[in-house]
Amino acid sequence: MDKSIGSYSFLRNLIGGILILFSMQTIVHAQQVVPSKVTSIQLLDNYLNNSKGSDQLRLNDLVYEVQSSVYFENNEAKTYGTSPVNLYTDINGFLQLPNANFEKATIELITIRIDNSSQITNTLNLASLTGFPKLKYVYILATFPYTLQQISKVVTSSGSDYIVVFKSDMGS
């Protein structure tokens, strides 16, 4: 009888040890910062037409009304007006934004233009936009057939609270 109690005790300790090791691995994995896919990307027109709250009205103004703006391409910024609220860029410009030298403190909307699917070779990590303290909206404009599901797979974020909208418009 003592032998079976001893083997039962050994087996219980072994299983307990394995469970502890497994739970430690899970805790370590959970603590790693991994950019998450942005799940709340919405089609621009749907977002603007669903309701007329202050966010929708402001985004509509930023997208469709003339505003002071910065155009950033080929690592060159051209500013039109004072205190720009819009930033227009392409994929390459987006990747260079953290090191770009222009007025970022007043930007509320960044429009990222994608001209063809071959330009999407990396993820668009919105966590790189921390240098824009007033940024609230990110508008991704594809000028070729591209779907909301496809763009959702390449846009990542690490805790950003931006309103992200998308439009595929072949006429842009």
Side-chain angles (χ1 to χ4, degrees):
M1 199 63 130
D2 285 335
K3 189 173 186 178
S4 66
I5 292 175
S7 62
Y8 173 74
S9 178
F10 172 76
L11 186 58
R12 183 181 62 190
N13 289 339
L14 179 65
I15 291 173
I18 291 171
L19 288 174
I20 289 171
L21 288 174
F22 179 72
S23 66
M24 287 175 59
Q25 178 184 8
T26 303
I27 290 169
V28 168
H29 179 70
Q31 291 176 346
Q32 294 175 347
V33 178
V34 177
S36 58
K37 299 290 181 194
V38 175
T39 57
S40 61
I41 298 176
Q42 300 178 52
L43 292 173
L44 175 67
D45 295 334
N46 288 352
Y47 181 75
L48 294 178
N49 294 327
N50 278 343
S51 67
K52 290 297 179 192
S54 61
D55 283 331
Q56 288 85 358
L57 292 173
R58 182 63 179 150
L59 181 59
N60 189 69
D61 284 347
L62 291 169
V63 171
Y64 293 113
E65 300 298 326
V66 176
Q67 307 285 339
S68 294
S69 301
V70 175
Y71 291 81
F72 182 71
E73 291 184 355
N74 300 319
N75 211 20
E76 182 180 344
K78 294 179 183 175
T79 303
Y80 299 91
T82 58
S83 300
V85 293
N86 284 351
L87 169 63
Y88 297 95
T89 191
D90 58 8
I91 289 282
N92 294 328
F94 175 82
L95 298 173
Q96 298 169 354
L97 284 178
N99 300 319
N101 189 18
F102 58 85
E103 178 61 41
K104 298 176 184 176
T106 57
I107 300 295
E108 297 178 47
L109 167 71
I110 294 178
T111 299
I112 306 164
R113 182 183 172 112
I114 307 170
D115 291 319
N116 60 62
S117 61
S118 66
Q119 291 178 315
I120 306 172
T121 57
N122 295 316
T123 60
L124 298 174
N125 188 350
L126 302 183
S128 67
L129 301 175
T130 58
F132 296 87
K134 286 193 172 183
L135 182 64
K136 188 162 186 178
Y137 310 98
V138 176
Y139 173 28
I140 303 167
L141 174 63
T143 61
F144 59 96
Y146 210 61
T147 67
L148 182 63
Q149 291 76 23
Q150 289 172 304
I151 199 67
S152 294
K153 291 178 184 176
V154 297
V155 177
T156 62
S157 172
S158 291
S160 61
D161 292 330
Y162 307 123
I163 294 170
V164 183
V165 293
F166 169 74
K167 186 172 187 176
S168 179
D169 187 4
M170 282 57 75
S172 294

